[in-house]
Amino acid sequence: MDAETQIKINSSIYTYLLETRVLPERLRRNPEELLCRIRDLASFAWSNHPGFFADGRLENLLLSMAEDMDPEIANIEILSELDQVEGSNPEKAILLVASYLYEAGGHAKVVEKIIEEYSGFRLVLVITQQDESLPDAFEVMRRDGALEILNLSQCGSTMEKASTLRAIARFVNLAILFPHPNDPVPVLAFGTTDNPPVLFDNHTHFFFWLGPSVSDVIISHATYMCEMSRSRRFAARTFFLPIRYSRYLHQLHDPVDKESAKSSLDVPSGDLCLLSIVLGSTVFTSYGEQNFFSTAGQIVRRYPQVHLFLIGIGEEHELAQRYLPLETRRVHCLGIVPDPLVYYQAADIYLDAYPYPSMGGLVEAITYGEAAPLLFHGSHRGLLNSGNIFESDLDLNPIDSDDYFARLEELIHDSRKRRSLVAILKKEQQEVESRLQSVVRELYEENKGLSHSVRPLPHSSPDFQDDDLRVAAMTQHKGYREVMKFLKGTALMGRAFSLSALRSRVYIYGVFIRRVAFGGRGRA
């Protein structure tokens, strides 16, 4: 199925669920049930691109609930944990808000980097959804006195979480949000004007998310993402922050001993190491006719001197079993690797996974491993292009599959080409790192005096721009495939994908769609 049709289907299902499961007036009598459904619908839009990245039909409902929220339901026990000084000046006090922070992936590392760059500030980290322990780095910062951590998971309801977060915000003069796309708590908490200025870190720039209505500034980590925030997320202001991770910062200027790293991984002398971080691409596995794991399998079969290391997938995964020549013993599926430095250092070439690239992994592999990058083909400037994070004018994007393999051939056989490419990009990353603290401080100074505003969002309709088509092509979740499999047997598949067409078959498959999209939650 082509991506345009996928968007039409996604948008029709989204609108159907919105109008039948979220907007009915009777649900306003049960706020927690309504919030559960809002979160579920945002999850559906996050996973199955509906042709827009934010929507006032859904988010403005949260703003109306924010106005009515009772301040008396804030959790007193959590507030008592905050080191409050009555009458104190909140100058240089920053609130950081996240839904979850995990060891794997780059999300938590971005938050960690921001915390480190604001050394000397009072920093309060609030977690809205996570029950389990945070990554060790945050616990260390708390023990060292660099960070206060408050967890809202002990609150009895979503409204209680939001009221508590709003109360905490009274003690700071700036809030930076890092929530997951489906988390309604920040919108509820900051949905009134009596809040500090709110900066939203756009770490899920590929997807739909809740939050633009309460964001005074949307932070993006590539200039292209800033443009997207203005045009597709209704951003009032944007800020370009070329964020980089800091866990290996002390090695920024150190030489890399590739032979030693390869030896530690039992790679024979003279063989080449290829590396990719593929965690996201194990979830989002479809990209039109392209498949990264199929491509990776072709590479290993074509080049007997190549060892392929994949972080984020285990050998038992169905994609590994289906596409990778595991019997060669030159494919190493490593699963989750908290500290991948030795793999960066052993890598001669870093393969940018698709359709969901790891931009942080790409930067680290170049900067700390001196691995030459090979980006995926077919996206020269779009949302999914990792090349957006580089300031260099280098031509890094293959045009098509033939160009991709031609560039790979050159990188495999020409070590000088690898070294020259790495030298340019590593120098750029070193320069970015050298000015990063001043940029982060600029972010604070420019925005600490803003008056917080709340802006209801326009109602969105599906668009079919190149970015929409690319994102829609990669959102082939299991639940979505189940919906599509079921719909293929109905009259809907041969008609225009309008809401009226969807409603005409409600009796036949409406309950089924709700069960798949919402995972069985709520009443039919």
Side-chain angles (χ1 to χ4, degrees):
M1 179 173 293
D2 64 273
E4 183 172 336
T5 301
Q6 289 178 355
I7 290 175
K8 292 175 181 177
I9 288 285
N10 292 347
S11 176
S12 291
I13 294 175
Y14 173 92
T15 303
Y16 167 71
L17 294 171
L18 175 72
E19 295 196 353
T20 63
R21 298 279 293 168
V22 174
L23 294 183
E25 188 64 28
R26 61 180 172 79
L27 290 173
R28 297 299 296 268
R29 297 192 294 270
N30 188 343
E32 289 305 311
E33 172 70 12
L34 178 56
L35 288 169
C36 176
R37 295 182 180 210
I38 290 173
R39 183 168 54 247
D40 285 338
L41 184 53
S43 298
F44 179 82
W46 169 17
S47 304
N48 304 279
H49 183 59
F52 42 85
F53 295 87
D55 182 23
R57 292 175 295 173
L58 187 63
E59 187 152 337
N60 295 347
L61 184 56
L62 288 172
L63 295 182
S64 67
M65 297 176 74
E67 287 284 351
D68 299 334
M69 189 166 63
D70 183 0
E72 297 300 321
I73 64 174
N75 188 295
I76 301 302
E77 290 185 14
I78 293 176
L79 293 177
S80 68
E81 297 176 25
L82 190 64
D83 293 333
Q84 301 173 14
V85 180
E86 292 298 328
S88 65
N89 186 349
E91 182 70 17
K92 296 186 70 173
I94 299 176
L95 173 63
L96 309 169
V97 181
S99 309
Y100 305 89
L101 292 173
Y102 296 129
E103 194 70 56
H107 177 214
K109 297 176 183 65
V110 170
V111 181
E112 180 183 343
K113 181 68 171 177
I114 290 289
I115 292 171
E116 291 183 352
E117 294 298 343
Y118 281 125
S119 175
F121 285 66
R122 181 188 183 185
L123 302 173
V124 180
L125 172 63
V126 173
I127 305 298
T128 65
Q129 306 292 343
Q130 186 168 342
D131 291 320
E132 59 267 35
S133 299
L134 297 179
D136 290 344
F138 295 95
E139 299 298 341
V140 169
M141 287 186 282
R142 172 159 55 182
R143 288 197 299 269
D144 291 345
L147 181 67
E148 298 169 55
I149 301 176
L150 301 174
N151 195 317
L152 303 184
S153 63
Q154 62 185 283
C155 290
S157 68
T158 302
M159 294 296 280
E160 183 183 331
K161 289 179 180 182
S163 184
T164 305
L165 179 57
R166 187 182 293 179
I168 294 169
R170 301 289 189 268
F171 296 89
V172 304
N173 67 328
L174 188 72
I176 307 179
L177 310 184
F178 306 85
H180 276 46
N182 61 342
D183 190 348
V185 172
V187 180
L188 290 170
F190 296 101
T192 56
T193 56
D194 55 341
N195 272 294
V198 174
L199 315 183
F200 196 112
D201 184 85
N202 182 18
H203 62 94
T204 52
H205 41 255
F206 302 155
F207 304 116
F208 176 101
W209 46 260
L210 300 172
S213 64
V214 299
S215 301
D216 298 299
V217 179
I218 295 180
I219 303 167
S220 292
H221 305 308
T223 54
Y224 185 82
M225 311 309 179
C226 288
E227 296 171 18
M228 281 288 295
S229 292
R230 288 189 289 268
S231 63
R232 304 299 301 278
R233 301 189 194 276
F234 319 111
R237 298 179 182 85
T238 60
F239 190 94
F240 170 48
L241 180 62
I243 197 70
R244 297 298 182 263
Y245 306 156
S246 60
R247 55 183 169 175
Y248 307 127
L249 187 58
H250 60 288
Q251 296 177 291
L252 183 62
H253 299 281
D254 292 352
V256 174
D257 187 347
K258 287 202 174 295
E259 290 306 313
S260 176
K262 288 180 181 180
S263 177
S264 71
L265 299 178
D266 295 325
V267 175
S269 178
D271 283 5
L272 294 180
C273 284
L274 275 59
L275 173 67
S276 187
I277 295 180
V278 300
L279 181 60
S281 293
T282 63
V283 179
F284 300 94
T285 57
S286 175
Y287 190 75
E289 297 301 316
Q290 305 172 40
N291 182 299
F292 174 77
F293 299 98
S294 176
T295 300
Q298 293 178 52
I299 291 171
V300 175
R301 294 183 182 95
R302 184 177 298 190
Y303 298 102
Q305 75 276 38
V306 158
H307 289 252
L308 177 64
F309 291 85
L310 300 177
I311 293 176
I313 188 172
E315 286 190 0
E316 71 288 348
H317 196 285
E318 61 174 323
L319 292 169
Q321 293 288 325
R322 185 186 310 167
Y323 294 110
L324 301 175
L326 302 174
E327 72 281 357
T328 65
R329 314 309 299 171
R330 290 183 290 111
V331 177
H332 310 273
C333 297
L334 305 170
I336 302 300
V337 179
D339 182 1
L341 180 60
V342 67
Y343 298 102
Y344 291 151
Q345 294 175 333
D348 298 287
I349 300 170
Y350 182 88
L351 302 178
D352 195 32
Y354 56 83
Y356 195 121
S358 171
M359 297 183 179
L362 173 65
V363 168
E364 286 195 326
I366 294 169
T367 308
Y368 302 108
E370 298 182 358
L374 180 62
L375 274 56
F376 75 93
H377 56 83
S379 180
H380 285 270
R381 178 163 162 70
L383 192 61
L384 299 175
N385 181 7
S386 295
N388 287 321
I389 61 177
F390 298 117
E391 299 173 4
S392 169
D393 292 330
L394 288 172
D395 174 21
L396 295 173
N397 286 97
I399 297 172
D400 53 26
S401 179
D402 290 340
D403 189 21
Y404 180 91
F405 277 98
R407 293 183 186 223
L408 176 64
E409 177 84 11
E410 182 179 24
L411 290 175
I412 283 178
H413 293 293
D414 190 343
S415 59
R416 287 181 297 179
K417 174 69 174 180
R418 298 198 301 268
R419 288 195 297 269
S420 65
L421 183 59
V422 165
I424 294 170
L425 295 176
K426 182 172 182 176
K427 181 180 179 182
E428 176 184 306
Q429 299 313 305
Q430 290 171 332
E431 291 172 351
V432 168
E433 187 64 48
S434 69
R435 66 176 189 269
L436 186 58
Q437 185 174 61
S438 64
V439 176
V440 173
R441 297 300 174 106
E442 178 187 336
L443 174 68
Y444 175 82
E445 294 297 333
E446 279 191 9
N447 298 296
K448 65 179 182 179
L450 286 178
S451 295
H452 178 55
S453 63
V454 177
R455 299 171 301 106
L457 302 183
H459 293 192
S460 295
S461 56
D463 206 340
F464 302 92
Q465 298 181 30
D466 184 63
D467 280 327
D468 295 286
L469 298 176
R470 292 183 182 279
V471 174
M474 78 175 190
T475 51
Q476 294 279 359
H477 278 194
K478 180 181 179 183
Y480 178 85
R481 291 198 298 270
E482 290 181 9
V483 170
M484 297 310 302
K485 181 180 178 181
F486 185 84
L487 293 181
K488 283 181 179 179
T490 73
L492 181 65
M493 292 303 294
R495 301 168 57 182
F497 297 100
S498 64
L499 180 60
S500 61
L502 190 64
R503 280 175 171 165
S504 71
R505 311 297 289 181
V506 162
Y507 183 74
I508 297 175
Y509 55 77
V511 173
F512 178 84
I513 290 175
R514 289 198 294 272
R515 178 171 60 81
V516 172
F518 286 175
R521 299 182 65 172
R523 294 179 297 275

